[in-house]
Structure formats: structure tokens, C-alpha cells
Amino acid sequence: MSLAHLLARQALTRPDAPAIYSGTTLWATHAQWAQRSAALAHRLRAAGLQPGDRVVLFMSNHPRYLEILWGAWWAGLAVVPVNAKLHPAEVEWIIDNAQARWGFVTSDVAPRALAGLQHQIDIESAEADALLAPLSEAVPAPHDSAPGDLAWLFYTSGTTGRPKGVMLTHRNLMTMGLTYFVDVNAVDAGDAIVYGAPMSHGCGIYAIPHVMAGARHVVPASGGVEPAELFALGQALGPLSTFAAPTIVKRLVDHAEAQGLGPDDAARAFKTIVYGGAPMYLADIQRALRVMGPRFVQIYGQGETPMVATALSRRHIADTTYPDHAARLASVGVAQTPVQVRVAGPDGADLPLGEVGEVLVRGDTVMAGYWRNPEATAAAVRDGWLWTGDMGTLDTHSFLTLKDRSKDLLISGGSNIYPREVEEVLLTAPGVHEVAVVGAPDPEWGEVVVAFVVAAPEQATDAAALDAHCLAHIARFKRPKRYVFVDTLPKNNYGKVLKTQLRALAAQNPN
Ligand code: AMP
């Protein structure tokens, strides 16, 4: 069974139910969506594409994103959705690595012809209209892909080195989709997901459970995250669910606060906001709960086990009566249903509870491997266990708390320092809006702690005040030796702070 069958099923059982919206305008019913995707599949196969071939999507968010994803799966092809903020040269590297010959683009992100593609289709062109126009003959059934066939080639963010193509199969994504209902968010046919965050990443992957449930899919007219627009869409189309990186959640909360909106207003606009992909700091989620009420669920996953490692449920997040609620909120929750999660030392043996080690995950969501990279696959997946590169610790109730990625850990004077811990403390200091902590090389200490701080506009702060705050809250050796005040932190399109860039900056400016 393939992911295409999910749409075929909705088209048969609920053909006239609304499926895709562009802003508040209906774009397609389930029947229309399936007809367009099936027609695209038929024409791609007629043009010579074979099951297993890769097609690239280098697009900003668009209703046709969904039609092309399902069209490719209908034909038995694998999709390669690419981060819309990449430089064309980086996309060309991915096209070459994925050996893709066809690509679908939007002209805003791909202003020129991309080397390596034989066919580049602007999805707003007459050619795209023709490819998606319903067939006059009978609609072909979806290609019978096997569960282990490649469905999605997900290129890692490549914050260190070249990106790697994570091979996700139909089984991986089917399991991810079913798990969503159990561990993240129950969905019924009247629900709607909104794609504010990039569809090439977690937000787009969550299309799958929403197709499974026959729910509606809303693509904002802006194609991105405009908090006012998202609130208005929620008011118009019913409470929405979405996936957002912590920085996006922060923007929604800022907006709600600035507009004087409270939990009741948020409840009308949003059913569930799933956050993950980067650390959510304690102070930020506490404020989000206060302003927008109990509509948050956290997930922790990575491309290699998409959206599925652990989850912190709405109930756990909302239960402020739990004695250790703050520690729970700072955790990423418990293993999601289809996976086992453990914390191990370098030899792969389990560590005692409370000790920090690498997070390992095993289950049906774990990737089939890295595309054309058996060495990297062998290093990442050993005896079925995925070595995530994240460091964490388990408590007695199996809640996982992440420390940092193993490469972000810094060692100063022989002591391990987890930047996340220092960041959590600095964020509770008055006058700090955002912060990122990295290590800089130091002849005496090996590495020293450097904090990049975005000051809050309404309240002044300085290095001396922040140093005093750290002295009051954490061990002396963890205190930043230097503070660098910046206007913004460098982030990628998925909201992750680019620590490699900050480390380079910190190393360049010793004082
Ligand atoms: P990606 O493969 O681009 O989705 O990035 C996955 C990485 O993001 C993980 O390995 C973690 O380092 C980080 N990450 C994902 N979810 C969370 C979370 N809930 N809290 C902290 N970090 C996270």
C-alpha cells in the first residue's frame, strides 16, 4: 500500500468534502484533488518517469504542493522537497545527489533554470495547468508501491557539512501518520491543518495524518507565518492545527499579547499547536500557556525518524498541578507509541537514569538509510538503533530531557557545559529576548562560553547585569566569559539557530 491510496480512499468515500483551501477560498474537494494528482501521475509516467524516480519540489508553500506530492506518489515516484530558502547552487547539489531529472518550482524561489534538471516546471505556468488538468479517460489507480519503497528523500539541514538524503519509505510515513492520532493530536474529518511553516519539512509531513482523517488543508495566501493572517484564518475556517518551530510559536504569542488576545480567542483560532524541531525554552512555553491556553503538544524527532521519537502531551503540558511541572515542561516527553527510546554511552550500553548520553531510537519510523551513503548509514543505524546525535537523560517516569546535540556540547577547563542550560537561565533575566550560547576556542580553558544576546526592546540590559544573573543561578564555571549583543540570531528556514555560524563569529572576535 502506498501513501497515494490514502487520497484515493477519501476521493471515493467523501468526494465532495472540502479538502484544500488557498486562504479562505476552496481550492479542491477530495475528488478534485485526486483527479488532478492522478492526472499528473499519468502524464509523468507517459513522459517516461519510472517508479522510484525522484522529483524535486523547490517551492514556497502553495496549494499545488499537496497535489504534486500525491501525484508523485500516485505514479510510484519519490519526492524530494527542498527548503525554499536554499541558494540555487545548494539545490543543484541536491538535484545532482538525488539524481533527479524533473523539478517543480515557484518562480519566487527559483528565478532561473536549475542545472541538472531536464524538466523544470513553474507550478503557476500553463504547462503545470495542463499536467494537472483532469483526464478525459478513466483515472488510473495508484501505482502499487511496496511499503519499503522510497516515498520522500529528506535532505538534512546540513548545518554541518553537506546535507545527507534521508530515505523515508511509505511504511515510515504511514507509521508516522497513524502515530499522530495516538500521541499528538486526535483529528476528525471536520478539522483543518494550516501550513504556515515550510511544507518541505515537518509541517508538510503532517499533511499525511490529515489526509488519513479526511480533514481540510489550509495554505495561507502569504504562504508563510503572518500571525494576524493565521488568527484570521482560524476564525474563518474553524480552529486550526499546525506545526511550528519554537520561534514561530513565540511570534504567535507576541502577536496575541500585543493584540490583547487571550486563551478564549486563541481557542477559537487554534485547536492544537504542535511545536518541536528546536529547543523550546521553559520561560517561552510558560508564557505561551499563559497567553494562549492549553493547546500545545511538543514532539521531538529528526529527519531520520520523522516527527517521531518522543512527545509531551497536551495533558502533561497543561497539568500545572503536577509537583515537578517545570521539569516536565523542560523535557521532550516520553517515547511515541511505535518506537523505543533509550540513552546510551559510546559503547551502546544503557546508562543509569539521570546520566547524560546519546539518544537512540528504534522502530518503524526509522529511515531506510542515507541515499547513496552506506558509510553514513552504518554509522547512524547500528543493530536497528538510530544514533540521533542528540544528548539527553531519562527520568524515572521515562521522560526524556535533551541537553544538546553532541557536537554542541562544550568543554571548558575539563568540565562539560551544555549550552542549553545556560540559555535557559539567561532567558529568565530581564531584558533578554533571545539568546544562543556557543563555545569559542581559548588557549587557557580549551573553550570558553560565549553568549549571543538579542535584547528585548522595552528593557535595557548589559553584560554586568547578565553576569550577576548567572552567578545567582548556575555554577560559576558555566557563566559566559563574553556577551555579544546582536539584532537577530542567524536561523535557517526551519527556525533552527545556526550555531556553526555563531561559533565562527565567536572564534573570529576573541574580545
Ligand atoms: P531535523 O532533522 O531538521 O528535523 O532536525 C532534528 C533535530 O532538531 C534533532 O536531532 C534535535 O537536535 C532538534 N530537535 C527536534 N525536536 C526537538 C525538540 N522538541 N526539542 C529540542 N530539539 C529538538
Side-chain angles (χ1 to χ4, degrees):
M1 179 173 173
S2 105
L3 294 164
H5 287 103
L6 304 175
L7 177 61
R9 173 170 163 263
Q10 296 300 341
L12 288 172
T13 53
R14 302 177 59 250
D16 301 326
I20 304 178
Y21 285 83
S22 173
T24 51
T25 308
L26 183 63
W27 177 272
T29 61
H30 284 102
Q32 288 168 328
W33 179 359
Q35 276 161 7
R36 290 174 201 166
S37 292
L40 174 64
H42 176 78
R43 294 186 178 111
L44 292 176
R45 292 293 303 277
L49 285 172
Q50 296 300 317
D53 284 351
R54 277 81 48 213
V55 291
V56 164
L57 280 74
F58 184 40
M59 298 168 44
S60 44
N61 287 358
H62 195 285
R64 281 199 166 156
Y65 216 110
L66 296 164
E67 295 171 345
I68 294 166
L69 286 178
W70 263 270
W73 290 328
W74 205 288
L77 310 175
V79 294
V80 191
V82 177
N83 180 349
K85 288 275 165 65
L86 290 190
H87 187 278
E90 294 172 300
V91 182
E92 285 165 347
W93 186 90
I94 289 176
I95 290 167
D96 181 55
N97 186 263
Q99 300 161 308
R101 297 290 160 261
W102 281 62
F104 292 90
V105 303
T106 49
S107 52
D108 54 341
V109 303
R112 64 167 166 85
L114 296 165
L117 286 182
Q118 283 163 7
H119 294 277
Q120 176 168 327
I121 297 147
D122 181 332
I123 57 139
E124 288 183 323
S125 64
E127 185 185 9
D129 292 346
L131 281 169
L132 285 152
L135 297 167
S136 48
E137 66 257 47
V139 171
H143 176 78
D144 252 323
S145 301
D149 286 349
L150 182 64
W152 187 308
L153 196 53
F154 174 93
Y155 277 82
T156 55
S157 343
T159 42
T160 51
R162 287 289 195 190
K164 295 190 281 286
V166 174
M167 294 192 286
L168 300 174
T169 64
H170 289 269
R171 179 190 285 119
N172 289 149
L173 294 172
M174 206 73 90
T175 307
M176 178 282 308
L178 293 170
T179 304
Y180 183 83
F181 307 126
V182 186
D183 294 303
V184 183
N185 189 26
V187 184
D188 78 30
D191 284 355
I193 176 173
V194 63
Y195 301 100
M199 295 173 82
S200 54
H201 199 254
C203 205
I205 286 179
Y206 273 166
I208 293 165
H210 288 83
V211 172
M212 286 176 163
R216 294 167 297 150
H217 304 252
V218 182
V219 183
S222 70
V225 182
E226 300 297 338
E229 182 186 24
L230 294 183
F231 269 91
L233 282 173
Q235 301 280 354
L237 295 174
L240 305 169
S241 294
T242 197
F243 172 76
T247 54
I248 297 180
V249 174
K250 204 170 171 138
R251 285 181 54 202
L252 290 174
V253 176
D254 286 345
H255 172 81
E257 218 172 38
Q259 299 299 310
L261 303 176
D264 290 343
D265 306 295
R268 276 190 287 279
F270 295 102
K271 174 182 170 188
T272 304
I273 298 174
V274 185
Y275 65 88
M280 169 64 94
Y281 299 104
L282 184 60
D284 288 340
I285 184 63
Q286 284 171 332
R287 183 168 78 104
L289 280 171
R290 226 175 21 249
V291 175
M292 293 183 66
R295 59 205 72 272
F296 296 95
V297 179
Q298 180 179 204
I299 63 101
Y300 155 58
Q302 58 176 202
E304 289 82 346
T305 174
M307 313 306 271
V308 182
T310 63
L312 186 65
S313 71
R314 184 191 311 258
R315 191 168 47 79
H316 283 125
I317 292 178
D319 181 10
T320 49
T321 62
Y322 186 75
D324 221 0
H325 184 241
R328 283 242 156 127
L329 272 187
S331 81
V332 290
V334 298
Q336 292 190 45
T337 304
V339 292
Q340 291 169 278
V341 172
R342 61 193 186 90
V343 167
D347 60 355
D350 280 351
L351 290 179
L353 295 181
E355 272 187 36
V356 178
E358 186 158 345
V359 180
L360 273 51
V361 181
R362 182 168 72 173
D364 267 352
T365 50
V366 171
M367 65 168 178
Y370 293 113
W371 174 253
R372 297 169 62 210
N373 198 340
E375 300 80 28
T377 304
V381 187
R382 295 178 234 159
D383 299 326
W385 288 94
L386 170 70
W387 290 64
T388 61
D390 293 313
M391 304 301 282
T393 157
L394 283 170
D395 72 11
T396 45
H397 297 292
S398 258
F399 282 70
L400 178 72
T401 300
L402 292 181
K403 294 299 175 186
D404 270 298
R405 292 191 62 78
S406 46
K407 61 180 187 312
D408 289 337
L409 172 80
L410 65 105
I411 304 181
S412 187
S415 301
N416 287 0
I417 300 175
Y418 294 100
R420 165 101 187 247
E421 192 186 344
V422 185
E423 290 161 358
E424 293 273 12
V425 166
L426 284 170
L427 278 170
T428 63
V432 174
H433 178 60
E434 280 188 300
V435 67
V437 164
V438 295
D442 181 83
E444 188 182 350
W445 298 98
E447 278 181 297
V448 291
V449 181
V450 178
F452 287 83
V453 178
V454 180
E458 67 282 2
Q459 203 164 11
T461 186
D462 58 21
L466 296 179
D467 193 52
H469 184 81
C470 286
L471 271 173
H473 292 93
I474 41 170
R476 295 184 75 87
F477 73 92
K478 297 178 184 170
R479 282 151 55 226
K481 291 273 183 299
R482 256 193 298 138
Y483 289 91
V484 183
F485 288 88
V486 289
D487 292 336
T488 53
L489 295 174
K491 289 185 193 135
N492 74 9
N493 200 21
Y494 303 140
K496 289 180 207 291
V497 174
L498 296 170
K499 291 214 164 170
T500 320
Q501 272 188 28
L502 291 179
R503 270 192 289 269
L505 268 177
Q508 272 167 20
N509 304 301
N511 281 303

